[in-house]
Amino acid sequence: MTMPKYLTKRTTVFGLTALLLVAGAAASAEPLPFPSLNIGVGTATKPNDVAVTIQIFLLLTIMSLAPGLLIMTTSFTRIAVVLSFLRTAMGTQAAPSNQIIISLSMFLTFFIMTPVWQQINKDAYQPWKAQQISQEQAMERAVKPVRTFMLSQTREKDLALFVDISKLQRPRNAEDIPTLTIIPAFMISELRTAFQIGFLIYIPFIVVDMVVASVLMSMGMMMLPPVMISLPFKILLFTLVDGWGLVIGSLVKSFG
């Protein structure tokens, strides 16, 4: 007696499935090897072992704080704030975007801070790399150019404010002022300068908005938003006067 074809196919499928299940069960019965990970604290045989470990932790900490140091001790704050004011004054919602503003601010910061970093490389890093000076001496030499840059851009009023807040004795010269006192004073001075430049940038764009609004009111088109009409004129005005060149040039020269 012969079986139907569909029964033969079904029996074959069932047989293959049973074989696969048996093979899987046999494979699962065997123990699978798992990798082991051991973390422990050993005993250092030399003081240098502990020093190297501490240096690695300090290096990781400095790398995590690098973005904050870049913002606090360089020209990045002033440039980023001024470019943000420029975008708001023009009335464009997302042109240029935040990524472009941050990238442009970073590269302008690299351009402005290159002489300072070259001096750090010459006076601190290269002698330390050649083992001519110790690590402490290299740190002292590296901080001096940054302090000089920040002091040249910091107002005396802001510096005196933080000296009074920290209750320090009246410093005889700039060398007596701690670096942690200079940094917040420098940032406040940068914000003040950036807002002053932003105010000057706003003036021509406000004039264009006022003229367009007056013309629309005189024509009886009060339901039409003035921003829709003034935005093309502001972009045209900014392009004709080479606004990007003027703004970027003024920003770079303000650190001279």
Side-chain angles (χ1 to χ4, degrees):
M1 181 178 180
T2 59
M3 297 178 63
K5 293 183 179 180
Y6 70 90
L7 292 178
T8 305
K9 293 181 180 180
R10 183 173 297 180
T11 305
T12 304
V13 172
F14 286 162
L16 291 176
T17 305
L19 289 175
L20 290 175
L21 291 175
V22 171
S28 61
E30 299 179 358
L32 297 176
F34 291 97
S36 60
L37 179 62
N38 297 324
I39 301 176
V41 179
T43 303
T45 58
K46 299 178 182 179
N48 292 334
D49 297 338
V50 181
V52 171
T53 304
I54 294 175
Q55 290 176 1
I56 292 174
F57 278 111
L58 291 176
L59 179 61
L60 293 176
T61 304
I62 293 174
M63 290 178 63
S64 62
L65 295 176
L69 294 175
L70 177 65
I71 294 174
M72 291 186 297
T73 61
T74 61
S75 57
F76 181 85
T77 301
R78 183 188 303 184
I79 298 172
V81 172
V82 169
L83 294 180
S84 299
F85 270 120
L86 175 61
R87 182 178 63 182
T88 306
M90 290 183 63
T92 55
Q93 298 297 327
S97 62
N98 291 330
Q99 291 83 356
I100 295 177
I101 290 179
I102 297 300
S103 301
L104 181 58
S105 302
M106 288 183 61
F107 280 102
L108 288 176
T109 300
F110 295 153
F111 177 78
I112 294 171
M113 300 298 296
T114 295
V116 177
W117 292 339
Q118 287 178 348
Q119 187 176 356
I120 294 174
N121 180 65
K122 178 182 177 182
D123 298 340
Y125 179 71
Q126 293 299 333
W128 174 76
K129 185 178 179 181
Q131 298 183 354
Q132 298 176 357
I133 58 176
S134 63
Q135 186 175 358
E136 290 77 10
Q137 292 175 339
M139 291 296 295
E140 292 178 359
R141 293 187 181 184
V143 170
K144 286 183 179 180
V146 180
R147 284 172 55 93
T148 302
F149 171 79
M150 290 191 295
L151 287 172
S152 64
Q153 304 296 327
T154 305
R155 296 189 307 160
E156 294 183 1
K157 183 178 180 180
D158 296 331
L159 198 58
L161 172 64
F162 283 94
V163 170
D164 294 338
I165 292 175
S166 57
K167 297 181 181 180
L168 297 175
Q169 295 181 356
R170 185 179 180 86
R172 294 171 297 179
N173 49 38
E175 299 296 332
D176 296 337
I177 305 176
T179 304
L180 294 179
T181 304
I182 298 176
I183 292 176
F186 167 74
M187 293 190 66
I188 288 181
S189 298
E190 287 294 283
L191 289 174
R192 182 178 184 274
T193 304
F195 274 67
Q196 290 177 344
I197 298 175
F199 172 75
L200 296 177
I201 290 175
Y202 255 96
I203 293 177
F205 296 109
I206 290 177
V207 171
V208 174
D209 288 333
M210 294 177 63
V211 170
V212 171
S214 300
V215 171
L216 291 178
M217 289 184 64
S218 62
M219 295 176 62
M221 304 173 65
M222 292 178 292
M223 300 300 295
L224 182 64
V227 178
M228 295 181 59
I229 307 300
S230 63
L231 180 59
F233 287 100
K234 289 190 288 187
I235 295 176
L236 179 62
L237 174 65
F238 189 74
T239 305
L240 290 177
V241 300
D242 191 17
W244 287 111
L246 292 175
V247 173
I248 300 301
S250 301
L251 277 173
V252 175
K253 292 177 182 178
S254 66
F255 291 96

